[in-house]
Amino acid sequence: MKSYNKKVVKTLFKKEILDVIRDKKTVIMMLVIPVILYPLIFVVALGIMSSVQSGLQERTYNVAIESELDDGRFLDYAVKSVYSINKNREEKTTEDVTDGAEKSTGKKTEEKKSEEKYHINFVSADTIEDFKQAMQDETLDVYVEVVPDEGDENEEGKEGRIRYIVYYLSSSTNSNYASDIIFDFVEKMNQEMSEKTISDAGLDVELTLNPISYSYKNVASGKQSMGSMLGSVLPFLLIISLLMGTMYPAIDTTAGEKERGTLETLLTLPITNRQMIMGKFLTVALIGIISALLNILSMGGIAIYIVKIMKSSGAIKGADVTLSEFIPAILVGILAILAFSLFISAVTMCVTSFAKSYKEANNYITPLMLAVLFIGYIGFIPNVSLEGGMALVPVANICLLIKNLLIFKVTLESVAVVLISNVLYAFLAILLLGRIYDSESILFNDGRGGLQLFEKRSNLKKGGVPTFSDAWFVLLFVIVLVIYLGGLLQTEFGIYGVAGTQLIILSIPLMMAIYTKKDLKKTYSLRLPKARAAAGACIFILGIISVGMVITSIVSSIFKESSEATYESLKDIMNKGFIVTLFVVALMPAICEEMMFRGYVFAAVRERYRPIVAMIFVAVCFGLYHMSISRLFVTGLLGFALCVSTYYTKSIFPGMLMHFINNSYSVVAYYYPKAIEKGLSFLAVEKLSVTSSIVISIVGAALITVGFIIMKTSKKGSEAAVSE
């Protein structure tokens, strides 16, 4: 029997591999991008940068210098400096020609640094009527104004001293480059005049200008410096390329088969769902692994090329960085990438299994890509270590492990935790995939759920709740508006901009629901709950908030910088008084965010999928919407609890109330910290003690249990009454 199972899985695996390889998109993502596109982009970008830099070094720049106040002193100095540079350049050229014979004999000669070949055309300042307009027209690159020194905002002026003001156009690359040249002349003239003044006074120039001698040295080895540079970028590129490598085969083996109509035929064969899933999963995982290895080879080749460039330029010592030193890190990194490939393959297949076509699957995969990008960014954050709970965070643990491997700061325990956790997550995702394939309602949905926004309003029927596609569109559209328009409003108007952002969150789904003729009462669960069910919901959410406090305390110690940044951003908007802040920060989100997430989105998703799936989906979206790494899990957990409340009470109002109470605590703690210290002294600390954490967790768990039992029994009682 076992040999039969293996034979079936092997046959299915071969079939899936052939189907995937026939897909041009998969081949392009697996072979063309890592093997050809990455090196080509790097080489082309390097060539363009070199060409631009070379062009800047060989241009002629127009410079005007006022000469009346300083009797032409700086103009004469600049002219002499340019003449000296040109003369040295000509002498170097003659030496290079003379040394040609010596170089041809194979003798080692000292490498000469290439001289810049720019030219400066000194324009008379008297002929320029409006130098700012001339710079805007780019007929003039730099203008030097000579004025008496009257000081500025941060510095007092000195009587009798002259100030040189170098004007340039920051939007012009040529003007920027020329201003650096002229400013360098100003600094050199200033240095020479200082030395002359000190020397004329009979003092030691070096000792007077530099009364102390100082220097700093980097004790990191060349391999650590190189690893630090690669460790910030390489993990991010690897996880993204791995996701892109698994994305198309996952779509093809799931949604692609539905669209082609071959899934029904496959299910009629004498095979089990487990065998079919294993064949598909092994196919996607293999393609992902091949894509990952090709990406490693491609990026490794680019890294070696960068090392050679840095060695030749003297940025790192040639003997201090060798490829052999990175071999252990590369081997462990390959194991980590393989483990992550199993995880991301399973997750991608779970997401795409809900789609019925290629187009729909591409829409579903977008949030997954955003989530991976968001979490993968953690590799760029300094001082985030692979310790404690971070080793268990998907995506983040892989990024941090590869980063630590490259700087040679990793332990065997952390490697084991990361590898085992990713394999475990992959196993759990495969189990979920099995549940999906056991559900005919998911595999063969009836097609309801298309985007109704672009349909004629006269063709739309009144009633019902939004479709799943409507929810996706609104969710993505609102998030984009919040990021761009909301960010602009908050920057310009502070707390009133936050109010404007909340109105965006409320109005977009509401207008969509009205336009598509949805039942607003059913969509937003606008009904008064039973008193017993509402009490149970409040107790349940209060328990979740209690447990969330403990989790927040733990996570804040791991993501200290992110937590501090979140607190500082909150402080910036809490400056308009207690009542205004309470209204905008606590009440408006409780109404607007609940109406969107637990109302519009939850109703749409719940109509198509099972309640638990809908709750998890809305919770993840709610956590990602708040865009805080330190509060991602806690916010998602609260979002899940609010969904549970809405589902069991059939009302959005208990969730609104608890959302308001949760947000109000932050406002009260900010304006009345002493009251919090007196009433809740165990919470008025930066980090909860172990004892407080245990007590709060136990109390929270008890509240969650009691609240859930009350809600569930109340719901059963209501259903029984309706059936009677």
Side-chain angles (χ1 to χ4, degrees):
M1 186 68 180
K2 289 184 178 179
S3 61
Y4 172 76
N5 289 338
K6 290 181 180 178
K7 187 176 180 180
V8 170
V9 172
K10 186 178 179 181
T11 304
L12 290 171
F13 175 67
K14 287 182 179 179
K15 176 256 181 191
E16 296 291 347
I17 284 288
L18 290 174
D19 288 343
V20 169
I21 290 177
R22 292 190 187 105
D23 184 21
K24 294 180 180 179
K25 292 181 180 178
T26 303
V27 176
I28 290 173
M29 296 304 300
M30 185 175 65
L31 296 175
V32 176
I33 289 181
V35 177
I36 299 175
L37 192 59
Y38 287 160
L40 186 62
I41 290 174
F42 178 77
V43 171
V44 171
L46 195 63
I48 292 174
M49 290 174 62
S50 177
S51 176
V52 170
Q53 186 67 20
S54 177
L56 288 172
Q57 293 174 355
E58 296 177 1
R59 273 186 61 87
T60 297
Y61 299 99
N62 296 321
V63 177
I65 302 175
E66 291 185 359
S67 57
E68 183 177 348
L69 192 61
D70 70 340
D71 297 327
R73 180 167 52 191
F74 179 61
L75 178 59
D76 291 341
Y77 183 85
V79 171
K80 289 178 182 178
S81 298
V82 173
Y83 174 77
S84 177
I85 290 171
N86 291 334
K87 187 176 180 181
N88 290 335
R89 189 184 299 151
E90 292 174 0
E91 291 176 354
K92 288 262 187 189
T93 304
T94 305
E95 289 177 7
D96 290 341
V97 173
T98 307
D99 292 342
E102 182 181 355
K103 290 179 182 178
S104 63
T105 59
K107 295 180 180 180
K108 291 183 179 180
T109 59
E110 183 180 355
E111 294 184 1
K112 295 180 175 60
K113 185 180 179 181
S114 60
E115 292 286 345
E116 296 180 350
K117 301 177 182 179
Y118 62 80
H119 297 275
I120 295 181
N121 177 33
F122 290 100
V123 181
S124 175
D126 297 332
T127 62
I128 300 175
E129 295 181 2
D130 186 352
F131 70 87
K132 292 183 180 179
Q133 185 60 46
M135 295 174 74
Q136 291 288 345
D137 297 337
E138 297 191 12
T139 57
L140 184 68
D141 295 304
V142 175
Y143 187 87
V144 181
E145 184 181 19
V146 186
V147 297
D149 185 18
E150 297 178 354
D152 51 27
E153 295 179 358
N154 302 317
E155 182 182 349
E156 294 183 1
K158 297 290 184 181
E159 188 176 351
R161 189 167 68 175
I162 292 176
R163 175 181 290 267
Y164 294 93
I165 304 175
V166 180
Y167 291 94
Y168 69 101
L169 188 67
S170 62
S171 58
S172 169
T173 305
N174 297 332
S175 182
N176 269 294
Y177 191 84
S179 67
D180 289 339
I181 297 171
I182 300 303
F183 201 82
D184 186 51
F185 288 166
V186 175
E187 288 184 326
K188 287 181 178 178
M189 188 178 78
N190 183 58
Q191 178 74 14
E192 291 179 10
M193 292 177 66
S194 300
E195 292 176 358
K196 185 177 184 305
T197 302
I198 294 170
S199 179
D200 292 344
L203 300 174
D204 185 294
V205 175
E206 177 62 25
L207 191 60
T208 303
L209 291 176
N210 303 299
I212 62 171
S213 177
Y214 57 90
S215 64
Y216 63 94
K217 293 184 178 180
N218 182 12
V219 297
S221 61
K223 62 182 182 182
Q224 287 177 317
S225 299
M226 192 66 202
S228 177
M229 183 184 70
L230 294 175
S232 298
V233 182
L234 195 60
F236 184 78
L237 293 177
L238 280 174
I239 62 170
I240 296 304
S241 60
L242 188 54
L243 175 62
M244 297 295 290
T246 58
M247 184 172 70
Y248 287 106
I251 293 175
D252 186 74
T253 57
T254 54
E257 279 206 313
K258 293 182 188 179
E259 190 172 22
R260 293 190 297 267
T262 56
L263 182 60
E264 293 87 342
T265 305
L266 194 61
L267 290 172
T268 59
L269 298 176
I271 57 175
T272 63
N273 279 359
R274 184 182 301 175
Q275 293 169 339
M276 181 174 62
I277 290 168
M278 285 306 299
K280 292 178 179 295
F281 171 72
L282 290 175
T283 300
V284 177
L286 178 62
I287 299 298
I289 289 170
I290 294 173
S291 177
L293 293 176
L294 290 174
N295 276 281
I296 290 173
L297 291 175
S298 178
M299 294 179 186
I302 294 173
I304 292 172
Y305 184 64
I306 292 174
V307 171
K308 288 183 177 180
I309 292 176
M310 294 181 71
K311 283 181 179 181
S312 62
S313 65
I316 58 174
K317 296 179 181 179
D320 203 20
V321 180
T322 57
L323 181 62
S324 59
E325 293 176 310
F326 286 93
I327 288 178
I330 292 172
L331 294 177
V332 178
I334 290 174
L335 289 177
I337 289 297
L338 296 182
F340 181 70
S341 176
L342 298 176
F343 165 68
I344 201 66
S345 299
V347 171
T348 308
M349 289 183 67
C350 287
V351 173
T352 55
S353 294
F354 289 94
K356 62 181 183 295
S357 65
Y358 252 99
K359 185 178 180 180
E360 191 175 350
N362 278 300
N363 293 333
Y364 289 179
I365 210 75
T366 301
L368 177 62
M369 290 183 64
L370 293 175
V372 172
L373 285 169
F374 181 67
I375 302 173
Y377 184 74
I378 197 170
F380 295 98
I381 302 175
N383 299 326
V384 179
S385 58
L386 189 65
E387 296 176 359
M390 281 306 304
L392 298 174
V393 179
V395 182
N397 54 9
I398 291 293
C399 289
L400 293 175
L401 177 61
I402 296 175
K403 182 178 180 179
N404 287 358
L405 284 169
L406 291 172
I407 60 176
F408 304 93
K409 286 185 179 180
V410 71
T411 62
L412 185 60
E413 293 179 0
S414 61
V415 173
V417 170
V418 172
L419 295 180
I420 293 173
S421 64
N422 275 274
V423 173
L424 178 61
Y425 295 149
F427 176 73
L428 294 175
I430 293 172
L431 291 180
L432 176 61
L433 190 63
R435 296 293 298 272
I436 292 172
Y437 270 78
D438 286 337
S439 173
E440 292 186 5
S441 62
I442 296 176
L443 285 182
F444 306 111
N445 56 73
D446 56 6
R448 290 178 299 176
L451 185 62
Q452 296 183 339
L453 176 65
F454 303 111
E455 294 184 17
K456 285 186 177 181
R457 196 164 187 268
S458 58
N459 295 335
L460 297 175
K461 295 181 180 180
K462 290 184 179 181
V465 298
T467 65
F468 189 61
S469 296
D470 287 339
W472 263 122
F473 176 81
V474 167
L475 191 62
L476 295 177
F477 187 61
V478 168
I479 288 177
V480 170
L481 282 180
V482 167
I483 291 174
Y484 293 100
L485 182 57
L488 181 62
L489 289 174
Q490 293 176 37
T491 302
E492 292 292 327
F493 304 106
I495 193 168
Y496 300 112
V498 176
T501 303
Q502 291 299 323
L503 291 177
I504 292 173
I505 296 170
L506 174 66
S507 61
I508 298 299
L510 184 59
M511 288 190 295
M512 183 75 168
I514 293 172
Y515 176 80
T516 54
K517 303 179 182 179
K518 301 306 173 189
D519 185 339
L520 297 183
K521 186 176 179 180
K522 186 177 180 182
T523 298
Y524 289 105
S525 300
L526 299 174
R527 64 185 298 272
L528 291 175
K530 299 289 185 181
R532 188 165 178 266
C538 292
I539 294 171
F540 177 77
I541 297 172
L542 188 60
I544 292 290
I545 292 173
S546 302
V547 174
M549 288 181 178
V550 178
I551 298 173
T552 300
S553 178
I554 297 171
V555 174
S556 296
S557 61
I558 300 173
F559 298 101
K560 191 173 181 180
E561 292 79 7
S562 179
S563 300
E564 291 176 353
T566 302
Y567 179 71
E568 289 298 325
S569 63
L570 196 61
K571 281 176 60 179
D572 291 340
I573 61 175
M574 289 187 174
N575 55 3
K576 296 296 181 180
F578 177 74
I579 299 299
V580 174
T581 304
L582 187 68
F583 179 79
V584 175
V585 175
L587 182 60
M588 288 193 72
I591 297 174
C592 301
E593 292 178 7
E594 289 305 303
M595 290 281 282
M596 175 176 168
F597 287 98
R598 259 65 60 180
Y600 191 91
V601 177
F602 185 48
V605 182
R606 190 177 57 189
E607 185 73 9
R608 181 166 179 178
Y609 302 116
R610 290 185 301 160
I612 185 65
V613 175
M615 292 173 188
I616 294 173
F617 176 84
V618 175
V620 171
C621 292
F622 188 63
L624 292 174
Y625 156 77
H626 284 82
M627 300 177 196
S628 172
I629 295 177
S630 62
R631 296 190 57 83
L632 176 64
F633 181 77
V634 177
T635 309
L637 184 63
L638 177 61
F640 180 82
L642 294 169
C643 286
V644 173
S645 166
T646 304
Y647 175 73
Y648 280 100
T649 64
K650 297 182 179 179
S651 172
I652 199 172
F653 296 119
M656 283 184 177
L657 175 63
M658 296 309 295
H659 195 153
F660 171 73
I661 292 173
N662 179 68
N663 289 5
S664 297
Y665 172 78
S666 300
V667 180
V668 174
Y670 179 79
Y671 279 96
Y672 304 105
K674 292 183 179 179
I676 297 295
E677 290 178 6
K678 290 181 180 180
L680 301 169
S681 57
F682 61 96
L683 294 178
V685 292
E686 292 185 3
K687 184 179 180 181
L688 294 174
S689 64
V690 176
T691 304
S692 297
S693 299
I694 294 173
V695 172
I696 294 173
S697 298
I698 293 173
V699 173
L703 291 173
I704 291 170
T705 304
V706 172
F708 184 75
I709 291 173
I710 294 174
M711 283 192 300
K712 194 169 184 179
T713 54
S714 177
K715 184 174 185 292
K716 286 183 178 179
S718 299
E719 290 174 350
V722 171
S723 63
E724 289 176 3

